[in-house]
Amino acid sequence: MSLAVVLNEHEICAKHLHTQTPQLLMPTRSLPVLKNSDGKKRAVIIGASSGMGHALAKKLLDEGYLVGVAARRLAPLQELQNSYGANVFVQQMDISKTQEATANLNTLINAIGGMDLCVIAATGYNDTNTDTRIWDFNNPILAVDVVGFSAIARTAINFFELQSAGHLVGFSSVDGYQARADCPEYSAAKAYITRFLEAEHNRCMQLNLPIAVTELVPGWVNVSPEYEAVLAKLPEAYWVESLDDATASIYKAIQEKPAVAFVTERWSKVVDLFKTMPNDLYKALSARPGGTF
């Protein structure tokens, strides 16, 4: 059984896009839906090669899920497969290449035998030079966190609509609720993810669709020993969460399916502060050396 990915002209007005603008490729509404016959939950994690995506894959596997893992780097995914065997399905994927990525997602769904949960944890931040102020249309953050995210999220939502069930989970960031001075594109991209998931959540409610949409909002998370060394040099890094605590918080959100979940919960207080902070105080914090914003 194959799920084809085609351009749906009713959902994308390509004639209004510049010829170099990446196009989102959507599945048609007539695609067959796979039915689970063994009772096992099936999850796909995009961006599972490192950090929270990799840790979440391990957690779901420990909880008995069949897990499809996707990322650009194959080696970490193959290590998961070596450790967990037939419960892991590997697919190399670069979501900035939307046509290939959506086709690869459908290939992975077929390999697993369905999809109950789709988690998008990929980001282009690590490939971005935040020191340069030169505009680059191919900025990895825009290509991955905006265009690529949209392509994968829309493909997942369309699949869930066809099977009348599913849970879409996307990683935004506390930085999407503030203006991060050292990388405006990152803050803007994460704010985009926040609004995208909020809109999809509202749409599913309005149409009474049995689909859950959850935004995960991480603060500072110590995802690796290498990153711990980086965090130690950042005066603005506070409330740094361990990877284990972050993963537990994420898994709880997957079970409870809220519209928004902070990683961990105490970061909700920071976001509430951002929303109510007087502008003069905001400017003072932003201007100080090593300022948070």
Side-chain angles (χ1 to χ4, degrees):
M1 189 180 298
S2 175
L3 295 177
V5 179
V6 299
L7 179 64
N8 186 328
E9 294 180 354
H10 295 290
E11 296 186 58
I12 306 170
C13 299
K15 63 182 179 180
H16 296 303
L17 301 178
H18 189 277
T19 55
Q20 293 183 346
T21 302
Q23 296 180 353
L24 305 186
L25 299 166
M26 312 303 181
T28 63
R29 294 292 176 177
S30 60
L31 299 179
V33 175
L34 300 170
K35 298 294 185 180
N36 299 342
S37 59
D38 55 12
K40 291 186 178 181
K41 294 181 180 180
R42 287 160 165 79
V44 170
I45 302 177
I46 312 297
S49 60
S50 62
M52 289 178 279
H54 191 76
L56 178 61
K58 290 181 177 180
K59 175 63 175 176
L60 293 180
L61 286 162
D62 289 339
E63 295 295 332
Y65 280 71
L66 297 180
V67 180
V69 288
R72 289 180 304 170
R73 294 187 296 127
L74 272 177
L77 308 183
Q78 291 169 338
E79 289 175 6
L80 281 173
Q81 194 171 52
N82 291 338
S83 298
Y84 290 92
N87 289 331
V88 178
F89 300 79
V90 171
Q91 178 67 55
Q92 190 169 33
M93 184 186 298
D94 180 352
I95 69 171
S96 68
K97 300 175 181 178
T98 56
Q99 183 172 5
E100 293 179 13
T102 50
N104 288 338
L105 175 57
N106 285 329
T107 297
L108 192 53
I109 293 171
N110 275 282
I112 302 171
M115 180 172 69
D116 305 299
L117 168 69
C118 180
V119 180
I120 309 175
T123 179
Y125 180 76
N126 294 332
D127 297 324
T128 302
N129 181 3
T130 58
D131 294 328
T132 181
R133 310 303 297 172
I134 299 173
W135 164 248
D136 179 6
F137 180 82
N138 295 314
N139 185 310
I141 290 178
L142 303 181
V144 174
D145 296 56
V146 177
V147 178
F149 180 94
S150 299
I152 295 299
R154 175 66 60 229
T155 301
I157 284 288
N158 286 352
F159 180 86
F160 292 149
E161 285 190 41
L162 290 170
Q163 72 175 7
S164 298
H167 187 191
L168 173 66
V169 176
F171 280 76
S172 64
S173 172
V174 169
D175 287 329
Y177 291 83
Q178 64 181 7
R180 182 167 177 171
D182 65 341
C183 191
E185 290 86 357
Y186 183 74
S187 290
K190 292 306 182 182
Y192 171 85
I193 291 174
T194 294
R195 292 294 168 251
F196 183 102
L197 294 173
E198 179 184 16
E200 276 300 340
H201 176 268
N202 292 344
R203 174 177 170 273
C204 290
M205 289 186 62
Q206 290 170 5
L207 297 179
N208 198 29
L209 298 174
I211 299 170
V213 179
T214 297
E215 176 198 3
L216 293 174
V217 190
W220 294 101
V221 178
N222 182 11
V223 295
S224 69
E226 294 77 15
Y227 192 55
E228 183 176 14
V230 173
L231 291 172
K233 300 176 182 179
L234 298 178
E236 68 270 28
Y238 58 98
W239 279 1
V240 178
E241 310 289 355
S242 71
L243 186 56
D244 287 344
D245 287 345
T247 303
S249 181
I250 294 166
Y251 182 71
K252 179 182 178 183
I254 288 173
Q255 299 304 299
E256 297 180 354
K257 300 181 176 64
V260 181
F262 292 88
V263 183
T264 60
E265 181 58 32
R266 61 182 176 178
W267 280 97
S268 65
K269 299 177 176 64
V270 176
V271 170
D272 289 341
L273 178 62
F274 293 154
K275 293 177 180 178
T276 59
M277 184 183 297
N279 190 53
D280 288 344
L281 177 58
Y282 180 89
K283 288 168 62 178
L285 291 170
S286 300
R288 82 190 199 283
T292 301
F293 309 109

